[in-house]
């Protein structure tokens, strides 16, 4: 029970908007890795990163990627173009990391 209490306290240190409901936590078998499972708008969460299904050209033109790009602001479009110009298109084994723009997250983890 002490371990579960410590996990809850650790997860509670992350700010959670009042409209997002925590559903539970999962501890992973790596050092200090925890995942909080919440129901709500991920774009309102103060998290380390959000996985963005931006596609190989990082254009953010469809579905979730479009919603993320719109809320993150135009700077993300510029960052994504710059990333592709400097590094080439994404492939399944590569994650293109950009800032999160206007979102509360620290970074976007762009994948294809």
């Amino acid at each position: 029970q002490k371990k579960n209490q410590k996990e809850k306290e650790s997860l509670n240190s992350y700010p959670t908007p009042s409209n997002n409901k925590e559903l539970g936590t999962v501890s992973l078998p790596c050092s200090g890795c925890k995942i909080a499972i919440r129901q709500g708008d991920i774009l309102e969460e103060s998290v380390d990163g959000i996985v963005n299904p931006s596609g190989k050209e990082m254009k953010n033109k469809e579905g979730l990627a479009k919603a993320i790009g719109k809320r993150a602001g135009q700077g993300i479009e510029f960052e994504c173009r710059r990333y592709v110009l400097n590094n080439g298109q994404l492939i399944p084994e590569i994650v293109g990391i950009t800032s999160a723009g206007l979102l509360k997250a620290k970074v976007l983890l762009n994948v294809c």
Side-chain angles (χ1 to χ4, degrees):
Q1 281 183 329
K2 284 185 179 182
K3 184 177 180 183
N4 287 341
Q5 183 62 31
K6 281 187 175 186
E7 286 179 12
K8 283 185 179 183
E9 289 170 6
S10 173
L11 289 170
N12 287 336
S13 68
Y14 290 98
T16 305
S18 60
N19 62 334
N20 286 359
K21 177 182 173 188
E22 185 161 325
L23 301 176
T25 61
V26 177
S27 292
L28 301 176
C30 59
S31 65
C33 294
K34 294 183 186 100
I35 296 175
I37 301 167
R38 296 188 177 133
Q39 180 180 12
D41 185 350
I42 193 168
L43 302 181
E44 291 294 327
E45 292 286 331
S46 296
V47 295
D48 292 332
I50 295 175
V51 177
N52 181 24
S54 60
K56 64 183 181 181
E57 296 177 355
M58 296 175 68
K59 293 203 176 201
N60 301 315
K61 297 292 183 189
E62 298 178 1
L64 179 59
K66 183 176 181 179
I68 290 172
K70 184 176 180 179
R71 295 264 296 275
Q74 289 183 334
I76 294 303
E77 185 179 333
F78 173 77
E79 281 188 59
C80 288
R81 278 198 312 255
R82 184 177 59 202
Y83 182 94
V84 171
L85 282 173
N86 292 334
N87 303 289
Q89 294 182 350
L90 292 180
I91 57 174
E93 296 84 16
I94 299 295
V95 175
I97 300 174
T98 62
S99 80
L102 301 174
L103 300 176
K104 294 178 182 178
K106 293 178 183 173
V107 297
L108 291 179
L109 305 166
N110 299 280
V111 298
C112 64

